[in-house]
Amino acid sequence: MAKPGYYVSRVPVLSTTHVREATLARLLAGPGNSAVAVVAGYPEGCFLYLKAAAGEPDQSEDLRALYRWARQRHYHWIRLDADGDRICGLPVYHW
């Protein structure tokens, strides 16, 4: 258990199918001017950081939906994984 005053992150593990293949490829290609940044990619997915001051991403609706879902739940990180959970209410793209 964390001691008082220590920051502890909660990171939901969501299915990569919640974003389009092209969106994930663009994120993995490198930093852009987005409210979402890939911190670490791996063969089955990646870790995303939601930048606090950047506002909603404007590139694609799939990324905006994911961002809103996470921010409404006070998450700063998301792990996208091929075996991650599918969340009711988020779009699913089959690729």
Side-chain angles (χ1 to χ4, degrees):
M1 182 160 167
K3 295 180 182 179
Y6 285 84
Y7 175 73
V8 177
S9 281
R10 295 180 332 160
V11 182
V13 182
L14 306 183
S15 174
T16 52
T17 62
H18 286 308
V19 294
R20 292 181 174 97
E21 187 174 14
T23 300
L24 186 57
R26 184 173 29 86
L27 288 170
L28 289 169
N33 188 19
S34 176
V36 178
V38 171
V39 174
Y42 59 96
E44 296 80 20
C46 62
F47 286 86
L48 300 176
Y49 176 65
L50 309 178
K51 300 175 190 175
E56 275 193 32
D58 58 358
Q59 291 90 349
S60 58
E61 181 55 39
D62 56 341
L63 198 55
R64 284 193 301 270
L66 192 66
Y67 184 91
R68 284 191 300 265
W69 179 90
R71 281 299 188 192
Q72 288 170 354
R73 290 152 182 82
H74 306 286
Y75 293 126
H76 299 281
W77 294 88
I78 298 172
R79 178 178 165 196
L80 289 179
D81 189 272
D83 293 324
D85 293 331
R86 286 192 179 175
I87 304 299
C88 183
L90 285 177
V92 174
Y93 304 94
H94 299 282
W95 47 278

